[in-house]
PDB file of all heavy atoms in Angstrom:
ATOM      1  N   ASN A 112     -26.378  -9.749  14.216  1.00  0.00           N
ATOM      2  CA  ASN A 112     -27.738 -10.247  13.793  1.00  0.00           C
ATOM      3  C   ASN A 112     -28.776  -9.635  14.619  1.00  0.00           C
ATOM      4  O   ASN A 112     -29.902  -9.454  14.155  1.00  0.00           O
ATOM      5  CB  ASN A 112     -27.788 -11.755  13.773  1.00  0.00           C
ATOM      6  CG  ASN A 112     -26.970 -12.334  12.629  1.00  0.00           C
ATOM      7  OD1 ASN A 112     -26.801 -11.695  11.577  1.00  0.00           O
ATOM      8  ND2 ASN A 112     -26.489 -13.489  12.775  1.00  0.00           N
ATOM      9  N   LYS A 113     -28.586  -9.366  15.898  1.00  0.00           N
ATOM     10  CA  LYS A 113     -29.620  -8.893  16.751  1.00  0.00           C
ATOM     11  C   LYS A 113     -29.556  -7.354  16.974  1.00  0.00           C
ATOM     12  O   LYS A 113     -30.600  -6.800  17.350  1.00  0.00           O
ATOM     13  CB  LYS A 113     -29.563  -9.621  18.149  1.00  0.00           C
ATOM     14  CG  LYS A 113     -29.891 -11.074  18.019  1.00  0.00           C
ATOM     15  CD  LYS A 113     -29.848 -11.745  19.422  1.00  0.00           C
ATOM     16  CE  LYS A 113     -30.175 -13.225  19.248  1.00  0.00           C
ATOM     17  NZ  LYS A 113     -30.043 -13.895  20.515  1.00  0.00           N
ATOM     18  N   ARG A 114     -28.473  -6.776  16.786  1.00  0.00           N
ATOM     19  CA  ARG A 114     -28.360  -5.343  17.168  1.00  0.00           C
ATOM     20  C   ARG A 114     -28.054  -4.438  15.940  1.00  0.00           C
ATOM     21  O   ARG A 114     -28.443  -3.239  15.960  1.00  0.00           O
ATOM     22  CB  ARG A 114     -27.318  -5.136  18.242  1.00  0.00           C
ATOM     23  CG  ARG A 114     -27.606  -5.995  19.459  1.00  0.00           C
ATOM     24  CD  ARG A 114     -26.943  -5.539  20.684  1.00  0.00           C
ATOM     25  NE  ARG A 114     -27.038  -6.506  21.783  1.00  0.00           N
ATOM     26  CZ  ARG A 114     -28.196  -6.644  22.449  1.00  0.00           C
ATOM     27  NH1 ARG A 114     -29.262  -6.035  22.126  1.00  0.00           N
ATOM     28  NH2 ARG A 114     -28.180  -7.502  23.464  1.00  0.00           N
ATOM     29  N   ILE A 115     -27.294  -4.996  14.970  1.00  0.00           N
ATOM     30  CA  ILE A 115     -26.879  -4.161  13.812  1.00  0.00           C
ATOM     31  C   ILE A 115     -27.752  -4.491  12.595  1.00  0.00           C
ATOM     32  O   ILE A 115     -28.382  -3.583  12.059  1.00  0.00           O
ATOM     33  CB  ILE A 115     -25.407  -4.379  13.531  1.00  0.00           C
ATOM     34  CG1 ILE A 115     -24.555  -3.845  14.660  1.00  0.00           C
ATOM     35  CG2 ILE A 115     -25.091  -3.662  12.172  1.00  0.00           C
ATOM     36  CD1 ILE A 115     -23.062  -4.102  14.468  1.00  0.00           C
ATOM     37  N   LYS A 116     -27.823  -5.737  12.239  1.00  0.00           N
ATOM     38  CA  LYS A 116     -28.629  -6.145  11.051  1.00  0.00           C
ATOM     39  C   LYS A 116     -28.278  -5.275   9.857  1.00  0.00           C
ATOM     40  O   LYS A 116     -27.110  -5.287   9.381  1.00  0.00           O
ATOM     41  CB  LYS A 116     -30.142  -6.233  11.348  1.00  0.00           C
ATOM     42  CG  LYS A 116     -30.495  -7.157  12.444  1.00  0.00           C
ATOM     43  CD  LYS A 116     -31.954  -7.229  12.609  1.00  0.00           C
ATOM     44  CE  LYS A 116     -32.304  -8.143  13.736  1.00  0.00           C
ATOM     45  NZ  LYS A 116     -33.758  -8.171  14.011  1.00  0.00           N
ATOM     46  N   ALA A 117     -29.245  -4.589   9.278  1.00  0.00           N
ATOM     47  CA  ALA A 117     -29.038  -3.744   8.121  1.00  0.00           C
ATOM     48  C   ALA A 117     -29.105  -2.240   8.497  1.00  0.00           C
ATOM     49  O   ALA A 117     -29.504  -1.448   7.676  1.00  0.00           O
ATOM     50  CB  ALA A 117     -30.111  -4.079   7.090  1.00  0.00           C
ATOM     51  N   LYS A 118     -28.783  -1.913   9.772  1.00  0.00           N
ATOM     52  CA  LYS A 118     -28.834  -0.518  10.135  1.00  0.00           C
ATOM     53  C   LYS A 118     -27.595   0.205   9.654  1.00  0.00           C
ATOM     54  O   LYS A 118     -26.535  -0.386   9.563  1.00  0.00           O
ATOM     55  CB  LYS A 118     -28.867  -0.458  11.732  1.00  0.00           C
ATOM     56  CG  LYS A 118     -30.129  -0.897  12.403  1.00  0.00           C
ATOM     57  CD  LYS A 118     -29.992  -0.755  13.918  1.00  0.00           C
ATOM     58  CE  LYS A 118     -31.170  -1.408  14.585  1.00  0.00           C
ATOM     59  NZ  LYS A 118     -30.965  -1.399  16.002  1.00  0.00           N
ATOM     60  N   ASN A 119     -27.802   1.504   9.439  1.00  0.00           N
ATOM     61  CA  ASN A 119     -26.624   2.389   9.126  1.00  0.00           C
ATOM     62  C   ASN A 119     -25.804   2.570  10.398  1.00  0.00           C
ATOM     63  O   ASN A 119     -26.343   2.532  11.494  1.00  0.00           O
ATOM     64  CB  ASN A 119     -27.119   3.731   8.607  1.00  0.00           C
ATOM     65  CG  ASN A 119     -27.793   3.626   7.286  1.00  0.00           C
ATOM     66  OD1 ASN A 119     -27.402   2.839   6.421  1.00  0.00           O
ATOM     67  ND2 ASN A 119     -28.802   4.450   7.124  1.00  0.00           N
TER      68      ASN A 119
END
Side-chain angles (χ1 to χ4, degrees):
N112 290 331
K113 293 182 180 175
R114 305 198 187 289
I115 296 175
K116 296 182 184 178
K118 293 179 184 174
N119 292 325

